[in-house]
Amino acid sequence: MRHKRSDFPEGFLFGTATSSYQIEGHAQGGAGRSIWDDFAATPGNVVRAESGARACDHYTRYEADLDLVAAAGFDCYRFSLSWARVLPEGRGAVNTEGLDFYDRLTDAMLERGLKPAATLYHWELPSALQDMGGWRNRDIASWFADYSQVIMERIGDRMWSVAPINEPWCVAWLSHFMGLHAPGVRDIRAAARAMHHVLLAHGRAIEVMRALGMANLGAVVNMEWAMPADDTPEAAQAAARYDAIYNRWFLSGLFKGAYPALALEGLEPHMPKGWQNDFPTIQAPLDWCGLNYYTRKLLAADAGPWPAVREVEGPLPKTLMDWEIFPEGLYQFLKRTASEYTGDLPLYVTENGMASRDVLQDGHVYDEGRVAYIDNHLEAVRRAQAEGVPVDGYFVWSLLDNYEWALGYEKRFGLVHVDFDTLVRTPKSSYHALTAALKA
Ligand code: FCB
């Protein structure tokens, strides 16, 4: 790696990220059923119908996994809490085994000198709440606030940071408009409601945590740099519309108390009643904003109903996800987010990384592509910093190869290889390169 810790300002934090359903093994420890269990059990949704039932068995192996995080020299560990593990029915009875697990996990981080950076929701909605409409139902904001209270009363005193919801675009649009993630809905009215309720739930959780006296609360949004596929005005318009729905909706809601006109043009008729009055809650003050960034998209106009946008394959080198590698987009997003939305608020890159084929050869995994990917995105961070953008940390997705949602276990994002038969962990070249960079 070209970059090392000393290239960054004093106090700049490095971390690595995971999420509960992707690594823990959801079948263990009394967790309730989640929409991802249901989605995976429905033919055609997930590659080989794989689920997170066992995943990386982090539930029992968390101490060894955290040893790997600490040994690499990371400062922070970004992890998520499973709502269904804490409250199997989403509301009501608490699973004490689940609370105890997150308590032990927290202490295990602190014992290793790692800052716990928690996310309250990384997509495994309890199925019982989906039965009541899930993200379509406005009541989800109260259910989520109550869940936040239950878990943070137990571990909130030891969190370094908390974000309520990972990637609201995925929760709302990918899952309720495109239907590619659980609950697999393709319905514009459901999508419009989810787009709003996810931010309302975020705001309610922030209020709950402030009332508990907690600090360093933020939001984590995902971004894809949207570019026109050609130089027609139609393509420019398609890219702007994609940008409004994907990137600007959530930042505008959180930091401007409004939704972008280019997204409302299609969604307004489907919005829940009184949505305009919810911004004081949605805009609960934050201490930082996290950006998850992987790729860009090229867009063209499409026939058919709004948003009438079509993705066009781009020419750049791609990762195993077929995502073009475009570090410039991270630089642009950091600049634009600070200048248009967040001002002096600290920004973090809360996820960045790539999937590659990653095979074990004589006990090694040579993933030089990942080393270059991380290096080039760190360069984008440095460029933004040099121009005055307050970027305070960078988290690699992910610590471990894990359950990559609808794509199952074959898309390996880890710094550490996982053999999904034996569950043996093998640090890859990227892990060793980062270790050297962080200790330098
Ligand atoms: C992000 C998700 C994370 C993982 C990476 C590849 O959108 O937050 O769980 O799937 O993409």
Side-chain angles (χ1 to χ4, degrees):
M1 274 194 51
R2 281 175 289 131
H3 291 93
K4 48 189 183 316
R5 187 187 280 280
S6 55
D7 295 331
F8 291 84
E10 174 105 34
F12 186 84
L13 297 171
F14 287 90
T16 184
T18 62
S19 91
S20 50
Y21 192 80
Q22 292 177 278
I23 64 167
E24 284 176 3
H26 196 75
Q28 305 180 65
R33 211 172 160 80
S34 90
I35 55 173
W36 270 95
D37 300 309
D38 301 330
F39 189 69
T42 310
N45 285 337
V46 177
V47 173
R48 288 182 296 270
E50 288 168 344
S51 79
R54 182 168 88 140
C56 305
D57 186 32
H58 176 74
Y59 187 78
T60 55
R61 297 164 198 250
Y62 67 95
E63 291 189 290
D65 290 340
L66 292 176
D67 284 344
L68 286 166
V69 181
F74 286 113
D75 309 295
C76 309
Y77 177 58
R78 178 170 176 256
F79 67 110
S80 80
L81 305 154
S82 164
W83 190 340
R85 185 178 292 295
V86 173
L87 295 164
E89 296 293 308
R91 309 178 296 171
V94 171
N95 172 33
T96 40
E97 250 184 283
L99 278 184
D100 291 348
F101 171 65
Y102 290 125
D103 198 280
R104 288 197 302 278
L105 185 68
T106 300
D107 284 342
M109 286 177 230
L110 296 176
E111 281 158 19
R112 289 163 180 77
L114 295 167
K115 297 181 182 350
T119 304
L120 278 158
Y121 184 75
H122 200 127
W123 309 351
E124 58 283 285
L125 188 73
S127 300
L129 299 183
Q130 185 62 32
D131 292 341
M132 293 185 290
W135 291 101
R136 296 181 84 137
N137 187 337
R138 183 182 173 85
D139 291 344
I140 198 160
S142 301
W143 305 332
F144 187 61
D146 293 345
Y147 152 61
S148 306
Q149 175 96 24
V150 168
I151 180 68
M152 286 307 160
E153 271 177 353
R154 179 72 181 266
I155 65 170
D157 57 331
R158 284 158 288 158
M159 293 299 103
W160 174 72
S161 73
V162 184
I165 288 165
N166 179 66
E167 302 190 345
W169 179 87
C170 292
V171 174
W173 198 258
L174 185 66
S175 310
H176 294 83
F177 189 82
M178 300 172 76
L180 296 176
H181 273 193
V185 174
R186 288 171 47 72
D187 181 300
I188 194 166
R189 184 174 162 96
R193 278 143 209 271
M195 292 285 274
H196 183 66
H197 294 151
V198 72
L199 287 180
L200 185 61
H202 156 94
R204 292 286 307 279
I206 295 288
E207 288 172 357
V208 161
M209 292 189 284
R210 291 282 179 219
L212 289 172
M214 294 173 60
N216 207 20
L217 308 179
V220 170
V221 291
N222 52 317
M223 313 250 106
E224 278 186 0
W225 192 249
M227 300 173 81
D230 55 53
D231 47 20
T232 61
E234 290 77 19
Q237 180 71 13
R241 207 176 289 131
Y242 187 92
D243 188 36
I245 297 168
Y246 200 116
N247 303 310
R248 292 189 183 275
W249 180 274
F250 305 100
L251 288 175
S252 297
L254 293 169
F255 298 104
K256 292 186 193 291
Y259 292 135
L262 278 179
L264 275 179
E265 79 189 1
L267 291 179
E268 186 149 18
H270 310 289
M271 293 291 282
K273 225 167 135 203
W275 61 272
Q276 298 90 338
N277 306 326
D278 288 329
F279 288 109
T281 305
I282 291 172
Q283 286 194 279
L286 298 178
D287 304 303
W288 54 271
C289 179
L291 306 186
N292 293 355
Y293 176 80
Y294 293 92
T295 190
R296 71 161 181 181
K297 282 284 157 65
L298 298 184
L299 293 316
D302 196 24
W306 188 91
V309 171
R310 169 173 61 91
E311 291 178 18
V312 175
E313 195 185 331
L316 301 177
K318 299 186 181 69
T319 71
L320 192 59
M321 298 291 277
D322 266 334
W323 293 347
E324 286 186 293
I325 300 175
F326 190 63
E328 172 73 17
L330 177 58
Y331 162 78
Q332 295 290 352
F333 271 128
L334 290 169
K335 297 248 318 176
R336 184 173 94 173
T337 302
S339 72
E340 295 188 29
Y341 298 99
T342 54
D344 296 333
L345 207 67
L347 298 179
Y348 292 90
V349 178
T350 31
E351 281 181 30
N352 179 238
M354 67 171 270
S356 46
R357 218 161 286 284
D358 298 349
V359 285
L360 256 178
Q361 302 169 17
D362 308 324
H364 296 281
V365 180
Y366 299 99
D367 61 336
E368 306 307 335
R370 180 171 291 107
V371 176
Y373 182 100
I374 294 171
D375 228 348
N376 292 333
H377 287 80
L378 284 174
E379 183 57 28
V381 170
R382 290 223 316 161
R383 273 175 71 204
Q385 283 179 326
E387 293 175 32
V389 180
V391 197
D392 287 1
Y394 172 90
F395 293 72
V396 179
W397 182 272
S398 182
L399 173 66
L400 303 171
D401 291 341
N402 61 44
Y403 180 62
E404 181 44 39
W405 307 111
L407 302 175
Y409 289 95
E410 76 188 16
K411 307 293 183 194
R412 295 178 175 274
F413 272 91
L415 297 171
V416 175
H417 179 274
V418 177
D419 178 322
F420 289 108
D421 295 320
T422 62
L423 296 175
V424 166
R425 274 76 161 146
T426 308
K428 303 177 189 176
S429 299
S430 56
Y431 175 92
H432 297 300
L434 266 160
T435 305
L438 294 178
K439 296 197 165 156

